Amino acid sequence: MSASRFSDTVSATLTDDVLVVTIDNPPVNALSADVRAGLMTALDRAEKDNAVVAVILTGAGNTFIGGADIKEFGKPPVEPLLPQVIARIEDFSKPVVAAMNGATLGGGLEVALACHKRDAVPSAKIGLPEVKLGIVPGAGGTQRLPRLIGTAAAIELISNGRVVSASEANKLSIIDSLVENSLIAAAIAAAKSAADLPLRRTGKLPVPSDSEEAIDKAVAEALRKARGQHAPAEAVRLVRLAATTLLDEGLAEERRTFVALRDSEEAAALRHVFFAERAAGKVEGLEKVAPRKIETVGLVGTGLMGSGIAVAALNAGYRVVGIEQTREAADKGRERITGILDKAVQSGRLDTAGRDDRLSRLAVAADAQEFAQADLIIEAVFDDLTVKTELFQRLDGIVRADTILATNTSYLDPNIIAAATAHPERVVGLHFFSPANIMRLLEVVNCHKTAPDVLASALAFAKRLGKLPVVCGVTEGFIGNRIFSAYRREAEFMVEDGALPHEIDAALEAYGFPMGLFAVYDMAGLEIAWARRKRQAPTRDPAARYVVIADRLCEAGRFGQKAGRGWYSYPDGQRTVDPEVTALIEAARAEKGIAPKSFTADEIVTRLLKAMADEGEALLAEGIAARASDIDLVMINGYGFPPHKGGPMFAGGRR
Ligand code: T1G
């Protein structure tokens, strides 16, 4: 068995007359220039060497190929380009088998599609997620995948960027075999058996015919979900092209489209988000800090938030102990948690065994002594400072000295809550977003005295929950609500200056927000912000601009959608512009002698983005946020900011 090295990242061994080529480009075997060059050299060797009857491509570690090297985007292209390597594989004179030892994504799947056979381990995740980066597959995915699975299925997978299990890929005929053990041996056997047969070249296959109805349905669904993004619609166009165009023409059109999208603002924004998500939750100086072991999670309060957090923890494999004030409340809490799990079973997201396993790890009681063995306690009780400080004082006497105490408060000062305990260093903030078992975003609040290993433990916990943790310092509203307050304040200034709520909402929805600000305001209810404004009134700066319109709405009982009236009215639940509100706004302007101006949609969006970006700059200057991209992630994942615009800091810097 001789070994050869073809580049820094590509080597091979000759085993049983088969050249087993391994890509070893940590961390994800991305198809860098060195990998592409190494593959071409390996193929040259295999072609010339008569002792080689076939070739296997595989990856080192638990990834086959994680895709093209995104870090190369925006840099001058280096030959051989990926399409050249892929064409060489498909046209190769000897069998080339993909031994998919793990994640096979984007360009990685495009390499596999050009191989003459595809064997995968059951754990492999397989897909063309390019649209999530604002692009389309650029190396044959839109032309070869439909040749294996048909147009409708290819539209669904590519326009959603959906990643499937190896088992589903096998059912779809993306791969030929699932191999539980000895993947390479199986691939060698497959390659040798193919050596004497005509090679199955994917690009030469006809696209299996689908019914127009199935295609139309897939197209409609893809375009509905695209919501203003270009890549999904282009993916649909290219996949459909495969059925009516020769491979080379289809590949050329795909490449033209890929290059145009790759250099677009939308793709730049989504690449920013991709790398931002991987930078989030990394805290300088914590690299070598070991998190504490967390196995049992205590929840104080199993209401809306507490039950969502409990389900998130159960889903992540933790034991969960919920505590309520009475047995009756505890039973209600257990019912609420069970209800969420039952809904997951009904929707097919969870099987009954999974539900039963989760319930077997759940206890909900009325006696806080049950917390004695908990490693982490999260309080999700009423957002009142006295309630929370008294609770943490009581917990001091119940839990171990090394038990972490986390507060889920949205607006209170966690430093004050921490100061109420004998061990403030063990207190951290975990600000979940509702519903806590669904929303990925989790603001991890680093209080003044939080110990480094407690912060590291909170981040490890967040990651095991599958959350997107963003670390922040202590300020009212942390990152998200503080930016949202600035955004809402500026919008109310604009209403007083002459824009109407529905004009502002229309501009925001045209920009890409799923809902405009005032529609969201009505949905959340106006009373909470009103109560806070009344609480802050005695200490408000009299010189600061203050808009009374929202107060006037509340004084008129217009508390939002639940009340049937807020910034809009809701006859039959339909959000409707209300002349009464317009009159109230005009009266408030007249009281201040404001002559209303009109605003274009672009002026509205520019002014609101600036308000968010300015507040973000303040958060950075105060050290509350560690990096601008964290602020973008919070607004995208917690407040509906369109991801294909990159977030307020990214977008604000580019207008
Ligand atoms: N290129 C460059 N770097 C990448 C990368 C990629 N494709 N994928 C991941 N990384 C980096 C990432 O930034 C992080 O860096 C580290 O690897 C670990 O990532 C031609 C044009 C493969 C499932 O969209 O889905 O192919 O923070 O934390 O959780 O048509 O990474 O350590 O410095 O995510 O184990 C299409 C993207 C590309 C897949 C592994 N491919 N990657 O998850 O690790 S476009 C994708 C992932 C394309 C073709 C087109 C995941 C993963 P750092 P990680 P993980």
Side-chain angles (χ1 to χ4, degrees), residues 20-65:
V20 181
V21 178
T22 301
I23 298 166
D24 188 1
N25 183 26
V28 298
N29 292 339
L31 288 157
S32 63
D34 185 77
V35 168
R36 302 194 302 270
L39 288 174
M40 286 299 236
T41 309
L43 290 167
D44 291 343
R45 154 78 189 277
E47 196 161 50
K48 292 189 191 100
D49 187 339
N50 294 329
V52 174
V53 300
V55 176
I56 307 287
L57 299 183
T58 194
N62 61 6
T63 304
F64 174 61
I65 299 172

Side-chain angles (χ1 to χ4, degrees), residues 27-28 66 68-71 107 110 129-130 137-138 258 274-275 278 282:
V28 298
D69 189 337
I70 305 171
K71 294 188 178 93
E110 291 172 304
E130 286 85 343
F258 160 73
F274 176 87
F275 289 115
R278 284 150 182 86
K282 287 182 180 168

Side-chain angles (χ1 to χ4, degrees), residues 166-501:
S167 155
E168 184 176 353
N170 195 27
K171 289 194 190 91
L172 285 167
S173 305
I174 297 174
I175 62 171
D176 300 294
S177 318
L178 272 177
V179 178
E180 295 273 350
N181 310 300
S182 317
L183 174 66
I184 300 303
I188 287 173
K192 294 191 76 167
S193 66
D196 310 326
L197 302 170
L199 292 179
R200 185 172 182 254
R201 301 181 202 279
T202 309
K204 301 282 187 273
L205 299 175
V207 175
S209 60
D210 276 339
S211 71
E212 273 312 308
E213 185 195 353
I215 293 172
D216 291 346
K217 186 163 175 280
V219 171
E221 185 60 7
L223 299 183
R224 181 184 69 78
K225 287 183 181 177
R227 213 170 42 209
Q229 298 188 54
H230 298 105
E234 287 298 86
V236 168
R237 179 177 67 82
L238 290 165
V239 169
R240 298 196 76 171
L241 199 62
T244 59
T245 312
L246 293 174
L247 178 70
D248 288 350
E249 286 171 35
L251 290 175
E253 179 56 24
E254 176 193 72
R255 191 72 188 170
R256 266 194 298 279
T257 308
F258 160 73
V259 171
L261 286 172
R262 181 195 60 196
D263 301 341
S264 69
E265 275 294 292
E266 182 173 301
L270 289 168
R271 278 197 298 278
H272 163 72
V273 172
F274 176 87
F275 289 115
E277 289 196 355
R278 284 150 182 86
K282 287 182 180 168
V283 179
E284 235 168 279
L286 275 198
E287 297 80 9
K288 295 192 174 42
V289 176
R292 294 182 192 176
K293 194 168 173 205
I294 298 175
E295 285 175 342
T296 300
V297 177
L299 246 311
V300 186
T302 53
L304 175 68
M305 283 308 284
S307 55
I309 299 169
V311 170
L314 289 168
N315 288 342
Y318 291 103
R319 267 183 42 73
V320 173
V321 179
I323 293 294
E324 280 288 359
Q325 288 171 316
T326 65
R327 182 69 255 162
E328 188 198 1
D331 293 345
K332 278 216 174 59
R334 185 179 182 89
E335 274 166 38
R336 203 172 286 115
I337 293 164
T338 307
I340 296 173
L341 294 172
D342 285 341
K343 268 208 199 105
V345 171
Q346 283 146 24
S347 70
R349 279 179 288 117
L350 181 66
D351 60 21
T352 49
R355 178 199 54 202
D356 298 346
D357 165 55
R358 285 158 176 76
L359 291 176
S360 72
R361 289 183 276 111
L362 172 67
V364 188
D367 174 5
Q369 292 306 327
E370 297 281 330
F371 279 156
Q373 290 317 312
D375 306 301
L376 161 68
I377 308 271
I378 303 170
E379 64 80 9
V381 298
F382 180 62
D383 218 17
D384 172 278
L385 196 55
T386 308
V387 170
K388 291 184 190 284
T389 47
E390 285 174 359
L391 167 65
F392 272 30
Q393 280 159 351
R394 199 150 48 88
L395 289 174
D396 260 354
I398 296 172
V399 301
R400 300 191 318 259
D402 68 336
T403 298
I404 295 167
L405 300 183
T407 170
N408 173 54
T409 186
S410 297
Y411 276 99
L412 301 176
D413 182 341
N415 288 326
I416 297 174
I417 299 170
T421 76
H423 309 280
E425 69 285 352
R426 68 161 157 196
V427 176
V428 67
L430 288 179
H431 181 225
F432 287 85
F433 285 72
S434 186
N437 54 306
I438 305 287
M439 294 288 277
R440 286 180 65 212
L441 181 63
L442 177 59
E443 285 180 312
V444 178
V445 187
N446 187 11
C447 308
H448 291 168
K449 294 194 174 170
T450 301
D453 71 326
V454 169
L455 184 59
S457 307
L459 289 167
F461 175 68
K463 290 207 171 103
R464 186 166 151 189
L465 258 57
K467 296 295 180 188
L468 176 61
V470 172
V471 177
C472 61
V474 174
T475 184
E476 179 163 357
F478 309 131
I479 294 174
N481 282 333
R482 183 151 148 199
I483 297 256
F484 186 74
S485 298
Y487 164 47
R488 185 177 61 208
R489 186 171 51 244
E490 193 63 29
E492 290 182 17
F493 288 166
M494 293 187 79
V495 168
E496 193 173 60
D497 289 343
L500 286 172

